[in-house]
Amino acid sequence: MRKLAAIMSADVAGYSRLMAADEEKTLARLQSHLVEVIEPTVEAHRGRIVKLMGDGVLTEFASVVDAVNCAAAIQRSMAVREADSTDEQRIAFRTGVNLGDVIVEDGDIFGEGVNLAARLQEFAKPGSVIVSGAAVEQVKNKVEVGFQALGDQDLKNLPEPVAAYRLLLASADVGKMVDETFSRKTRRWLTRRAVMVGGALVALAIAAGVLLGLEPWAARESEVAVVEQMAFPLPEKPSIAVLPFDNMSGDPAQDYFADGMTETIISHLARLPNLFVIARNSTFTYKGRATKVQQVAEELGVRYVLEGSVQRAGDELRVTAQLIDAISGKHLWAECYDREAKDFFSLQDEITRKVSLALEIKLTEGEQANIWRDGMGYSLEAWELHMQAMQLNRQVTKEATAKALELRTRAVALVGEHPELLIGLAWVHLRQVRFGWSADPKASLAQASENVEKAARSDPTDPEVFLVRGEIALIIGKHDEAIANARRAIELAPSMADAHANLSHWLDLAGKPDEAIPIMQNAMRLSPYYPDWYLFELGVQYQLSNQLEKARATYEAATKRSPDWAGGLPFLALATVEWQFGRKDLARASVKAFRAYQPDYTLASYKVLTSAFAPGVCCEQFYPILRELGVPEK
């Protein structure tokens, strides 16, 4: 007989290792969990245990809501029961939940629905629940848990990728409770859930843990990162990567909301003097990808990873966040917030505070004032316009920049002199000047200057204020002033990769390439997946400091990484190095590759590009070479 059923498949992670260490004790503990947790919890959720398989259990439910709630209840209870176990002794279940077609025969169940649940269970980390997309579609807004999208997964022996979601075990009410609002409603909810997972003893354990400031889910573990396999040496101070928060609203148009929360948290953390923070350019490369925490840690060279999700429905907002020590695999902190959307700004600050407390980052009162703003008078509408403009900024086109200018102007009009909005508006004006898109460059430069000074009056310690001031100083030829502003920005935000990169660039343009090189290398460490211009600029610095082999290797890497960046400009730079080496044929080949991107490029274009920023530095050295290579005068 065939039917549609919800399937929960669970097994013990590392069962063979546990049995090898102490077979008798492991069997006794597992039996205790089955009798005191699994069986009564499945029964309480109207499920049926189909069969026990050594270290695993297969269960069937008529309702996928019951299956998901049961899986969550079991994991919460196991976290409490195993909280005192060592890493080597801990019994943790991996669980998969699916809704699908099954074949029933002599009380057993078979078929694709069962196979998929088993594969999801194998994909799950210890202490976690992975739910299929088909099941999630049926339980939205019907369960007291959230879900983190993991994308389509290629699972063993399945013909097609499967949409997978990680069940977020920190409920909204538990989040509020740990946030010191231990209400009567929450006590009732905890007691009700605890009874469902095994009786009054578990209820007392959970309540006691909360009153002591302990999260019941904190015992869950992830696969661990190996320090020796990290792409970079770990910094001496605590290091963290903030992954893009998942947009759980189901509407891709709301991506900017989740992205905005991520970017704000990163910018706040970057101001912490005793913390090393990976830049958003690098962490956002993981957006939409199913990645493991230890993979992120090893690739970026950090110890801690913060991940989370944002779900918005009208004026209601649910945000989850968890901080993981990738080296130990332990969850240091986890929270789930149900708030009104207007509380979005203070919530960003709150998450930053909780992370700094979990990492034991000590701050002076002045440092706290510089970092946490509690929204600073934002309106949600203005913030949405600001974030939409930020997305447009990633499109370096005249049209996108004009639209960003319109959005930022509207945002400023809504709330007045808000520093972040004014700085964003100043940057758009400067982009129009820099790329020749302004009808009146002097007026645009004056607008940028006016906006940044207004921002400085509201927030004189915002590092972006000094970067904008530095860019303005650079355009008008005041290199020393630009450099001083960049140094001040770094003092205020030590982990701000762009501040380091700009300082390096401005030192280079001031004729100090040897000093610029280590600063650019530091910017690249803060952003391992750095922007293309970082790499190109490093090549320029090597070339100007007469390290020609390194310059050539860097330009070659730039042409391979993004051959069309800035209209193929790395090919033109590579040509000048090859010429300096005496390889004239290779130099001409590089110019030919460049002219495939910009056939109308002239020496006049090159002179305009460089002389505005570095008169007498680049032009005098490379202008004759480009003429010899056949680049026309006009």
Side-chain angles (χ1 to χ4, degrees), residues 410-475:
R410 286 169 53 195
V412 169
L414 283 171
V415 297
E417 296 188 4
H418 187 285
E420 188 173 3
L421 299 182
L422 288 165
I423 289 168
L425 186 55
W427 277 124
V428 179
H429 284 300
L430 289 176
R431 174 172 286 194
Q432 289 189 321
V433 173
R434 189 187 308 144
F435 288 96
W437 296 332
S438 172
D440 187 345
K442 288 185 177 179
S444 295
L445 199 62
Q447 280 289 321
S449 182
E450 180 183 343
N451 287 326
V452 74
E453 294 312 317
K454 286 181 179 178
R457 287 197 293 270
S458 296
D459 185 3
T461 62
D462 191 320
E464 289 278 354
V465 163
F466 296 92
L467 288 185
V468 174
R469 284 174 172 169
E471 184 77 8
I472 293 171
L474 184 73
I475 291 174

Side-chain angles (χ1 to χ4, degrees), residues 527-589:
S527 186
Y529 300 129
Y530 41 80
D532 294 326
W533 78 268
Y534 284 22
L535 188 62
F536 176 75
E537 179 61 30
L538 182 62
V540 172
Q541 293 164 2
Y542 281 136
Q543 189 174 9
L544 292 177
S545 63
N546 206 35
Q547 300 182 59
L548 297 185
E549 287 287 359
K550 290 183 178 180
R552 183 177 59 185
T554 305
Y555 287 144
E556 285 179 344
T559 62
K560 293 175 182 177
R561 188 179 196 247
S562 300
D564 58 348
W565 178 77
L569 195 60
F571 286 106
L572 192 65
L574 180 60
T576 64
V577 177
E578 296 290 13
W579 183 272
Q580 288 176 294
F581 273 113
R583 304 184 181 102
K584 296 184 178 181
D585 289 342
L586 291 176
R588 291 189 178 95

Side-chain angles (χ1 to χ4, degrees), residues 284-321:
F284 268 72
T285 61
Y286 295 93
K287 183 176 178 179
R289 293 167 50 190
T291 53
K292 296 181 179 180
V293 166
Q294 101 272 5
Q295 174 192 346
V296 172
E298 289 175 358
E299 291 176 353
L300 298 179
V302 296
R303 175 162 188 165
Y304 304 103
V305 176
L306 179 70
E307 60 181 2
S309 66
V310 179
Q311 185 172 11
R312 183 185 178 191
D315 294 332
E316 299 299 317
L317 189 68
R318 168 170 285 190
V319 175
T320 67

Side-chain angles (χ1 to χ4, degrees), residues 220-354:
R220 293 182 291 120
E221 296 185 2
S222 306
E223 296 181 35
V224 297
V226 180
V227 174
E228 291 74 19
Q229 294 180 6
M230 289 188 173
F232 308 93
L234 275 177
E236 293 183 2
K237 54 187 175 182
S239 51
I240 188 171
V242 182
L243 291 178
F245 277 41
D246 289 314
N247 169 23
M248 302 297 292
S249 68
D251 179 8
Q254 292 290 319
D255 271 2
Y256 72 89
F257 208 85
D259 290 352
M261 169 157 278
T262 310
E263 294 192 13
T264 301
I265 291 171
I266 291 173
S267 67
H268 283 192
L269 291 173
R271 297 190 187 191
L272 295 174
N274 298 316
L275 186 63
F276 182 96
V277 185
I278 294 294
R280 58 106 32 226
N281 289 320
S282 291
T283 58
F284 268 72
T285 61
Y286 295 93
K287 183 176 178 179
R289 293 167 50 190
T291 53
K292 296 181 179 180
V293 166
Q294 101 272 5
Q295 174 192 346
V296 172
E298 289 175 358
E299 291 176 353
L300 298 179
V302 296
R303 175 162 188 165
Y304 304 103
V305 176
L306 179 70
E307 60 181 2
S309 66
V310 179
Q311 185 172 11
R312 183 185 178 191
D315 294 332
E316 299 299 317
L317 189 68
R318 168 170 285 190
V319 175
T320 67
Q322 59 178 350
L323 179 65
I324 302 163
D325 182 339
I327 294 177
S328 70
K330 293 184 180 298
H331 289 59
L332 304 181
W333 166 78
E335 201 89 55
C336 181
Y337 303 89
D338 278 345
R339 301 284 176 86
E340 293 182 26
K342 67 181 181 180
D343 296 329
F344 185 71
F345 312 105
S346 59
L347 184 54
Q348 293 172 133
D349 283 352
E350 186 171 341
I351 291 173
T352 307
R353 287 190 184 97
K354 292 294 180 69

